[in-house]
Amino acid sequence: MTQTLVIAMIGGRRCAFPAEDVKSVIETSAIVPVPRAPEYILGMTALRSQALTVLDCRIAIGCGGEDHPTDERTIVVSHGGHSYALRVDRVDDITEAVGDPVPVPGGLGTQWSRISRGMVETTGGPALVLDMASLITCPHNSAAAA
Amino acid sequence: MDDLLADFVAETREMLEASESELIAWEQNPGDRTHLDAIFRFFHTVKGNCGFFDFPRLEKLSHAAEDVLADIRAGRRVPDAALVTAILAIVDRIGDLTDAIEAGEEFPHGGDERLINALNQGDIETSTTETEPTDTAPGAAMKRQEAPANLRSIRLPVELLDRVMSGVSDMVLARNDLAHRLNEAGTQPSIDGPFERLSTILTDVRDAITRMRMQRIEALYGGFPRLVRDLSSELGKQVMIDLEGGDVELDREMIEMIRDPMTHIIRNAIDHGIEKPADRLKAGKREIGLLAINTRQAGNKISIVVSDDGRGLDESRIGAKAVANGLITADQLERMSREEILQLVFAPGLSTAEQVSSVSGRGVGLDVVRDNLEKVGGSIRVTSTSGTGSLFFLTIPLTLSIISGLSVETGGQRFAIPQSYVEEIVHMGAEAVDYSVLGDSALVTFRGQRICCLSLADVLGLEHAVQQADRSLVILRLANGDIFALAVDHIHNIADMVIKPLPAAIMDTELYGGSTLLDNGTPVLLLDVPLIAANAGLVSETRAPITRLADEQVATEAQNRIPAVLFTGHDGRRMAVRMELVQRIETISNASVERSGGSTRAVVDGEILPLIGLNEIDPAVEKLRLLRLSDGYSELLFAVQEVSDATRLDGELVPVVDDDLIEAMTLVEGDMVSLLDGHALFSRHGALPKPSRKLTCSIPDNDWARKILAPLISSAGYALANADADDADIVIALDNQQQAEHAMTIRLRSQPDSEVEEAERANSIYRYDRDGVLAALRSISRGAVQ
């Protein structure tokens, strides 16, 4: 089974979003902050008259690296009836998966294993497959508290 | 009732189809409980519905099937093929009966018993019964084929409607966004026209979709007669229910939201309100108690009044109980009015029923009713007369998703507040506000009462962008009557907002209730007012009654005061005029004032009105400030130097005798103020709306004038005259028609304003400009009467 993946860099790591989860990749215009929201929620923005919640994946995962330069492009996904725009370091490529996701030899570390189902080989090298639900709904605890 | 019946038929037919396949699946796998449960539910539902509609045959059939299935569920009976066949025969018969009901026909009697017997015996005899329905089957089958042709409605899943609704809401937002962009790009006639059309169509579609989601409240009320009947017989009472306004429509979802609160109030009224027949007779009432539910729509709110003619609420018992339960102190009770004590029934932890009956007193109190109503933006209040009954007033919004919201700004960011909470908007700089900080709390004075003042910037962890004195206060009233103030930087506008839910991570902040988009496409967060208040410790149930108390006092006090506009006249006197008389404040140029004889007139909005309050026209003053006063019939202008404030006169009114235009003198903040006497003012100077004799108006001599203009003129109260009549008061001329020069000529033209020169526009009126023509007639007739 081959699967189309959107490859993005998060905190310097190569990550893959299943293409069927990704609605579009947009350049976010103005982001309206949400006062008192957890840190990983950057704010709200509008896409075609729809409100999106903008998340910073790097803070949500808690992998550090939020100081990596970002190209302001975000990945729009939909989960639980809400739409989100995910900020990453940069959106790289769209590619085909070579084979199914497999566990990473040696493990991922607690923060990454919480949001990933394993790695997948692609033509451009291995990438972590992200689990959208846990990325969005269950942010890294220390990041939420920070 | 027909609607309900159609619903019943459609629902039954739908379930029939589903249950047939369930039955087959169950037969193949008798151990599978889920199929069995589904079939059981079908018969159970049919039975319940039949009781309501009084279809004894259907009820008997479904009851029999339900019994058998219950046995199987309980393991008392083992299903076999014969039994399944018997049940299927019942399903068929129910289908046939349902068809007959829909067609309004009588279904041939007989045969039911045999079907039921077949169930109970479960033996091979079913084969005979099985042939029995086939006798009638051809007819029924034909009917079933015809039925779809007659159907003028379809059943849709609510989710589909919701999807269409949210799609349309998104379209409205996209339209707003586009409108904003078009606005920025400047006028482009080739695009603006089609865009206007698109907007209009979209508005229509939105209305239609909103109505699609609407359901008559009958859908909810349908079950009440049964509820009342069951309850009253259980309690040994006799109650008649009177439902009015069942045709009021509201959002389906909203109907579901109020189902439980309404049921609870009805239970409550029958259990606690209406007395037993013997007690009623003793009290001199009819044996049968009356429970009336009255519904009506008022704007985008629905108001429901549930009234009963029972014993009413006993405020002394409520009060005593509230004190006993520690809700209020005896001292507070002393100072509360009957009305306020009654509202305590909505406080948590108060149940006056001495005995917990099986009906009420299940741990769900009126406090839950109030909470649930508030959750959807509604409110509830009670009034009662001891011995004669109680009235519960419920107010609920029409829909859940579109609300009217006030948009405010703080720290450079916009937020929205549901308008239903907004009591008033006050400028922080106003003296009456009296801002003071005590400990960590800030207090402001509002209508003579100190209330807590939250800063929105503090609540949200932002910085205010403007100085303290330049901020505005939004006075918010929660549904339970608690009031507090929220300081914001700026107030923007009130608009209809399409509210979208927020993800859980944002909801967890307990600050926001949803989001909406502004016209320019920027997202705006909707503040969750009750939660913000609760988190700031502003909502304590024990405090609620006291706030209400103080509030009530202020309100009665306020009633005794006269709302008035304070101003300084041209003679330098400080004066006041009753607010009701003031239509608006006008500013006109000196040139539009004309003096003739003893009276002065001025032209405002193309109308000539009498002007008073001005002795000399100072040529140096170019602009004149005027109060436009009206008694509802006639209008006049009062010239003023300066309008200072709108206030309430609370000082004593001292009558004045020597100046007949002044009603009384009073004190406002230590200054002497003369209150204008409206009666004298209008009796002396008011321009009468109708002349004592009908003015005659001559119209052009052509078809258009006779057919189209003449009815307008005569309905406006003028007598018609021929074009050549030379004694007409007013002459109307069309286009370049030659007319004897007359002082009171109104010129009409056939070209719309957009097609003629500026000069021509001022000179004549487009003949279909109804308002323009009427205004011209009015201003002439006013002048003529003077």
Side-chain angles (χ1 to χ4, degrees):
Chain A
M1 177 199 91
T2 61
Q3 193 181 24
T4 311
L5 300 170
V6 176
I7 303 292
M9 299 299 285
I10 298 177
R13 274 80 150 188
R14 203 155 179 273
C15 298
F17 295 87
E20 68 259 22
D21 288 349
V22 177
K23 293 210 297 189
S24 56
V25 174
I26 59 158
E27 238 162 79
T28 42
S29 43
I31 296 178
V32 176
V34 178
R36 296 225 190 268
E39 201 194 346
Y40 73 98
I41 293 180
L42 297 177
M44 311 275 298
T45 191
L47 165 69
R48 292 195 292 270
S49 317
Q50 256 201 316
L52 304 178
T53 307
V54 188
L55 307 183
D56 192 321
C57 286
R58 296 154 314 180
I59 308 177
I61 294 168
C63 62
E66 47 266 37
D67 42 357
H68 271 265
T70 162
D71 64 358
E72 298 302 333
R73 282 200 293 175
T74 56
I75 297 174
V76 178
V77 298
S78 181
H79 179 77
H82 301 288
S83 292
Y84 299 86
L86 307 177
R87 172 171 287 179
V88 295
D89 301 349
R90 65 171 193 274
V91 183
D92 242 11
D93 198 7
I94 293 175
T95 183
E96 297 284 317
V98 183
D100 290 334
V102 289
V104 179
L108 291 165
T110 45
Q111 283 153 9
W112 287 95
S113 55
R114 191 176 52 80
I115 52 107
S116 173
R117 284 171 288 175
M119 67 168 215
V120 72
E121 285 296 338
T122 71
T123 45
L128 273 179
V129 182
L130 296 187
D131 178 46
M132 211 62 77
S134 41
L135 178 68
I136 288 166
T137 54
C138 177
H140 177 58
N141 285 336
S142 64
Chain B
M1 199 62 173
D2 281 351
D3 282 354
L4 287 177
L5 198 59
D7 272 351
F8 165 74
V9 169
E11 192 186 16
T12 309
R13 195 171 281 146
E14 217 169 68
M15 286 191 303
L16 270 175
E17 281 163 23
S19 65
E20 272 174 18
S21 57
E22 292 284 351
L23 258 172
I24 308 296
W26 171 58
E27 189 179 19
Q28 282 162 357
N29 185 6
D32 192 340
R33 287 290 299 234
T34 52
H35 296 303
L36 184 59
D37 288 349
I39 304 159
F40 182 78
R41 265 199 304 278
F42 162 68
F43 286 115
H44 186 75
T45 313
V46 172
K47 192 186 79 176
N49 289 348
C50 293
F52 179 61
F53 282 104
D54 191 26
F55 293 136
R57 290 180 67 191
L58 276 182
E59 189 171 359
K60 217 184 230 170
L61 284 168
S62 45
H63 188 79
E66 191 189 348
D67 279 351
V68 173
L69 289 168
D71 282 350
I72 298 169
R73 268 154 61 106
R76 286 192 292 270
R77 216 173 145 176
V78 181
D80 53 21
L83 182 64
V84 173
T85 317
I87 294 175
L88 274 173
I90 297 234
V91 169
D92 284 346
R93 176 55 64 95
I94 290 177
D96 293 345
L97 281 170
T98 310
D99 288 342
I101 289 165
E102 191 184 26
E105 289 167 14
E106 195 65 15
F107 192 78
H109 276 278
D112 292 355
E113 289 305 319
R114 242 188 304 166
L115 291 178
I116 291 167
N117 286 338
L119 269 183
N120 295 335
Q121 290 154 14
D123 58 23
I124 207 70
E125 233 178 273
T126 45
S127 57
T128 48
T129 60
E130 215 187 342
T131 55
E132 198 271 339
T134 54
D135 297 341
T136 54
M142 262 171 62
K143 246 177 276 157
R144 215 181 288 186
Q145 274 161 8
E146 281 165 22
N150 298 333
L151 274 183
R152 301 213 35 195
S153 61
I154 49 167
R155 287 167 71 82
L156 291 172
V158 175
E159 298 82 61
L160 182 63
L161 283 183
D162 285 347
R163 236 174 73 201
V164 177
M165 177 80 173
S166 85
V168 170
S169 301
D170 287 346
M171 266 159 80
V172 171
L173 294 173
R175 192 263 324 257
N176 293 348
D177 188 15
L178 188 59
H180 181 72
R181 278 161 210 246
L182 285 176
N183 229 345
E184 278 181 348
T187 336
Q188 298 161 71
S190 64
I191 297 176
D192 289 352
F195 179 72
E196 273 306 307
R197 246 191 81 212
L198 179 75
S199 288
T200 323
I201 296 170
L202 191 51
T203 312
D204 281 355
V205 172
R206 193 170 102 174
D207 281 356
I209 301 281
T210 316
R211 271 210 304 279
M212 256 161 80
R213 281 176 53 93
M214 295 288 191
Q215 201 171 25
R216 287 175 167 219
I217 203 163
E218 262 168 10
L220 169 64
Y221 290 177
F224 289 169
R226 174 73 185 270
L227 175 75
V228 170
R229 202 193 71 88
D230 287 358
L231 268 179
S232 44
S233 60
E234 190 180 325
L235 294 165
K237 296 177 180 179
Q238 289 181 33
V239 184
M240 203 166 73
I241 184 164
D242 178 26
L243 294 165
E244 217 173 285
D247 54 347
V248 168
E249 294 188 327
L250 74 166
D251 196 282
R252 271 163 231 277
E253 230 167 308
M254 198 52 94
I255 290 187
E256 285 316 307
M257 301 301 275
I258 62 167
R259 187 180 292 273
D260 286 350
M262 285 294 289
T263 310
H264 190 88
I265 291 170
I266 293 173
R267 282 173 186 281
N268 206 64
I270 298 175
D271 195 8
H272 302 313
I274 291 173
E275 314 91 329
K276 296 215 187 239
D279 295 340
R280 290 183 64 88
L281 285 176
K282 240 183 271 167
K285 296 182 188 176
R286 286 176 58 199
E287 255 178 302
I288 304 174
L290 183 70
L291 180 74
I293 301 179
N294 208 311
T295 315
R296 69 190 162 79
Q297 185 181 342
N300 56 357
K301 298 250 173 202
I302 301 276
S303 84
I304 303 175
V305 182
V306 182
S307 57
D308 67 71
D309 63 350
R311 63 170 76 93
L313 296 173
D314 184 345
E315 85 269 21
S316 56
R317 255 172 63 204
I318 296 171
K321 187 87 184 221
V323 173
N325 291 5
L327 291 175
I328 50 170
T329 64
D331 205 31
Q332 284 167 354
L333 181 64
E334 197 95 325
R335 280 180 287 134
M336 288 169 83
S337 73
R338 176 177 154 75
E339 197 78 343
E340 289 148 16
I341 295 170
L342 292 181
Q343 310 308 321
L344 286 172
V345 297
F346 300 114
L350 187 114
S351 171
T352 53
E354 267 146 22
Q355 287 175 326
V356 177
S357 68
S358 68
V359 177
S360 312
R362 298 175 187 209
V364 221
L366 284 169
D367 56 319
V368 179
V369 169
R370 187 180 71 181
D371 282 355
N372 284 341
L373 287 171
E374 282 177 10
K375 237 178 248 164
V376 295
S379 64
I380 185 166
R381 197 163 58 78
V382 63
T383 64
S384 173
T385 314
S386 198
T388 53
S390 333
L391 288 113
F392 285 86
F393 295 90
L394 286 81
T395 316
I396 44 170
L398 220 48
T399 59
L400 285 169
S401 54
I402 302 178
I403 66 156
S404 164
L406 173 74
S407 105
V408 300
E409 188 180 318
T410 286
Q413 199 180 335
R414 288 229 201 166
F415 298 93
I417 299 173
Q419 208 208 328
S420 54
Y421 293 111
V422 178
E423 181 85 0
E424 204 167 312
I425 296 166
V426 190
H427 194 247
M428 196 104 161
E431 248 173 58
V433 166
D434 188 19
Y435 180 86
S436 50
V437 180
L438 296 175
D440 284 337
S441 303
L443 297 176
V444 292
T445 307
F446 173 70
R447 292 194 194 150
Q449 182 190 348
R450 285 203 190 276
I451 58 172
C452 181
C453 173
L454 294 179
S455 143
L456 183 57
D458 290 351
V459 170
L460 299 177
L462 300 171
E463 290 291 325
H464 273 293
V466 300
Q467 290 302 310
Q468 174 98 356
D470 292 331
R471 290 174 204 161
S472 295
L473 288 175
V474 184
I475 310 290
L476 298 166
R477 178 189 290 271
L478 300 175
N480 65 1
D482 281 343
I483 301 188
F484 71 101
L486 193 65
V488 300
D489 287 354
H490 303 289
I491 302 284
H492 289 281
N493 52 343
I494 290 176
D496 278 346
M497 299 176 172
V498 180
I499 303 299
K500 291 287 174 73
L502 288 166
I506 297 184
M507 295 300 273
D508 286 347
T509 58
E510 301 198 329
L511 290 170
Y512 313 106
S515 76
T516 186
L517 296 183
L518 290 183
D519 286 355
N520 62 9
T522 341
V524 168
L525 293 156
L526 181 80
L527 298 176
D528 189 331
V529 174
L531 256 180
I532 290 176
N535 289 340
L538 292 180
V539 190
S540 66
E541 288 301 338
T542 48
R543 231 173 72 181
I546 316 167
T547 351
R548 257 203 298 274
L549 167 74
D551 192 52
E552 210 68 35
Q553 278 176 345
V554 173
T556 38
E557 245 173 56
Q559 272 172 8
N560 300 332
R561 305 201 223 153
I562 306 160
V565 173
L566 285 180
F567 63 91
T568 313
H570 275 274
D571 51 5
R573 271 204 292 180
R574 294 256 288 156
M575 294 203 260
V577 58
R578 283 170 194 270
M579 187 76 95
E580 303 97 75
L581 295 178
V582 181
Q583 284 227 299
R584 54 176 177 263
I585 300 166
E586 306 262 13
T587 306
I588 59 165
S589 82
N590 214 340
S592 10
V593 179
E594 201 181 288
R595 314 196 107 209
S596 62
S599 58
T600 311
R601 296 192 194 92
V603 181
V604 176
D605 291 346
E607 289 193 52
I608 302 170
L609 295 172
L611 171 66
I612 51 173
L614 199 61
N615 290 327
E616 294 289 317
I617 304 175
D618 182 355
V621 182
E622 282 179 5
K623 297 276 179 197
L624 272 178
R625 297 278 275 169
L626 306 172
L627 290 176
R628 186 168 179 166
L629 308 177
S630 168
D631 63 351
Y633 296 97
S634 54
E635 297 185 352
L636 58 82
L637 302 166
F638 199 100
V640 301
Q641 266 187 13
E642 189 194 6
V643 178
S644 33
D645 203 1
T647 183
R648 284 176 184 273
L649 304 178
D650 45 4
E652 195 189 344
L653 298 180
V654 185
V656 175
V657 282
D658 49 350
D659 188 340
D660 48 6
L661 279 189
I662 301 299
E663 180 187 330
M665 304 289 283
T666 188
L667 285 177
V668 174
E669 286 162 11
D671 286 342
M672 193 83 118
V673 169
S674 319
L675 180 65
L676 281 177
D677 185 332
H679 188 269
L681 214 54
F682 279 97
S683 67
R684 183 122 37 108
H685 299 282
L688 287 175
K690 275 190 192 156
S692 44
R693 86 183 157 86
K694 270 194 177 177
L695 294 179
T696 50
C697 177
S698 83
I699 58 168
D701 188 19
N702 62 35
D703 268 357
W704 179 81
R706 270 191 300 272
K707 285 182 186 153
I708 303 204
L709 185 61
L712 173 68
I713 305 288
S714 52
S715 72
Y718 298 86
L720 292 164
N722 287 333
D724 46 3
D726 28 311
D727 56 348
D729 296 300
I730 303 169
V731 175
I732 295 181
L734 180 63
D735 292 331
N736 292 324
Q737 178 193 20
Q738 284 306 312
Q739 200 78 42
E741 262 325 297
H742 194 289
M744 303 300 184
T745 303
I746 298 173
R747 294 207 152 271
L748 302 183
R749 69 181 128 75
S750 308
Q751 298 84 19
D753 285 0
S754 52
E755 287 175 21
V756 295
E757 299 291 317
E758 189 100 17
E760 182 59 30
R761 237 178 271 170
N763 208 12
S764 55
I765 303 167
Y766 174 42
R767 62 176 177 175
Y768 285 118
D769 179 358
R770 185 192 183 91
D771 294 339
V773 174
L774 291 178
L777 282 169
R778 236 185 351 255
S779 74
I780 291 177
S781 62
R782 283 235 171 81
V785 176
Q786 290 289 310

